[in-house]
């Protein structure tokens, strides 16, 4: 399930975040790569130990906690501290699958990567290329969103970033461990929750909405890890 999460950050928030991270210490993007990814990855990454990365990452996490669509779609149990990358001058990231387990260096924090996220921090007309291409059973999906919007997709997906031939593609990327690890179950819950919200907004019979809400929560109880 691919889900676009619009306006995670406002345009003003994006501008403030870019002002913070653009002047930060940038490193070779392979500092966080596994062996497979390192062969395909060509980009720069904001030093994850820097105060700029930590402050910007906290701002992303705060915004996600306030976004009901993200909560409904991800049902997050743990969120990896957001990281930041930049592609320019032909840089790209070839086909790869994200590692199943992501530890935070220097700590005992680790997550199972059920979902991956890319939060775009550059307007799409400010750079050429840089599409996030995600493969699933229905084909390839090319994603290039306005600054402040985010795409959420299964971490099991093969995906890539096409070469950036003009300008710079800047984004935040991170992973989530969901309370519901199975993507099919999580999709059903999201669709049910979305339907309940739509019915409630149209003034549908309250008793029916309550029954459907009960079904939703009973399925979460059955399927959730936490």
């Amino acid at each position: 399930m691919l889900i676009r999460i619009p306006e995670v950050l406002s345009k003003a928030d994006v501008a403030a975040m870019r002002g913070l991270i653009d002047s930060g210490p940038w490193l070779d993007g392979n500092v966080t790569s596994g062996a497979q990814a390192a062969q395909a990855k060509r980009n720069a990454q904001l030093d994850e130990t820097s105060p700029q990365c930590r402050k910007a990452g906290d701002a992303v996490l705060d915004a996600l906690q306030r976004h009901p669509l993200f909560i409904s779609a991800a049902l997050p149990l743990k969120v990896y501290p957001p990281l930041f990358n930049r592609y320019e001058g032909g840089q790209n990231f070839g086909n790869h699958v994200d590692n199943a387990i992501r530890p935070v260096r220097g700590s005992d924090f680790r997550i199972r990567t059920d979902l991956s996220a890319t939060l775009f921090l550059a307007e799409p007309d400010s750079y050429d290329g840089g599409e996030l291409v995600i493969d699933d059973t229905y084909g390839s999906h090319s994603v290039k969103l306005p600054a402040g919007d985010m795409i959420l997709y299964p971490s099991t997906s093969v995906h890539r970033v096409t070469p950036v031939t003009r300008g710079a593609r800047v984004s935040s990327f991170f992973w989530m461990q969901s309370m519901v690890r199975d993507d099919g179950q999580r999709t059903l819950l999201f669709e049910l929750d979305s339907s309940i919200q739509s019915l409630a907004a149209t003034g549908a019979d309250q008793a029916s909405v309550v029954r459907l809400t009960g079904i939703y929560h009973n399925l979460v109880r059955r399927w959730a890890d936490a």
Side-chain angles (χ1 to χ4, degrees), residues 100-212:
I101 305 295
R102 299 290 311 200
V104 173
R105 285 184 291 176
S107 77
D108 59 0
F109 180 90
R110 65 190 66 240
I111 68 168
R112 181 187 68 237
T113 57
D114 298 321
L115 291 162
S116 301
T118 296
L119 172 60
F120 289 80
L121 298 175
E123 295 296 349
D125 60 0
S126 69
Y127 60 99
D128 292 336
E131 291 85 0
L132 172 64
V133 182
I134 304 165
D135 296 334
D136 63 16
T137 55
Y138 300 103
S140 296
H141 308 272
S142 181
V143 182
K144 187 174 181 179
L145 301 180
D149 287 11
M150 185 176 84
I151 189 73
L152 193 65
Y153 59 98
S155 298
T156 54
S157 305
V158 175
H159 55 284
R160 57 195 174 274
V161 176
T162 64
V164 173
T165 58
R166 177 186 66 86
R169 176 196 192 268
V170 181
S171 64
S172 176
F173 66 102
F174 49 97
W175 304 270
M176 285 132 278
Q177 180 172 328
S178 176
M179 289 183 285
V180 177
R181 76 163 66 196
D182 183 84
D183 184 60
Q185 293 173 345
R186 199 167 52 246
T187 300
L188 287 173
L189 288 170
F190 175 67
E191 292 175 349
L192 179 56
D193 187 34
S194 298
S195 297
I196 291 169
Q197 299 304 320
S198 295
L199 287 171
T202 58
D205 176 65
Q206 182 65 19
S208 297
V209 172
V210 170
R211 283 196 297 272
L212 285 173

Side-chain angles (χ1 to χ4, degrees), residues 42-64:
R42 300 292 181 271
N43 67 7
Q45 185 170 312
L46 186 64
D47 184 353
E48 63 185 290
T49 67
S50 68
Q52 293 93 334
C53 187
R54 291 171 178 164
K55 184 175 181 179
D58 286 344
V60 171
L61 293 176
D62 288 345
L64 291 174

Side-chain angles (χ1 to χ4, degrees), residues 77-117:
L77 178 63
K78 299 179 183 178
V79 180
Y80 194 91
L83 302 172
F84 299 84
N85 59 21
R86 182 178 65 211
Y87 294 81
E88 57 189 339
Q91 291 178 322
N92 70 298
F93 199 161
N95 279 341
H96 65 286
V97 177
D98 292 336
N99 291 350
I101 305 295
R102 299 290 311 200
V104 173
R105 285 184 291 176
S107 77
D108 59 0
F109 180 90
R110 65 190 66 240
I111 68 168
R112 181 187 68 237
T113 57
D114 298 321
L115 291 162
S116 301

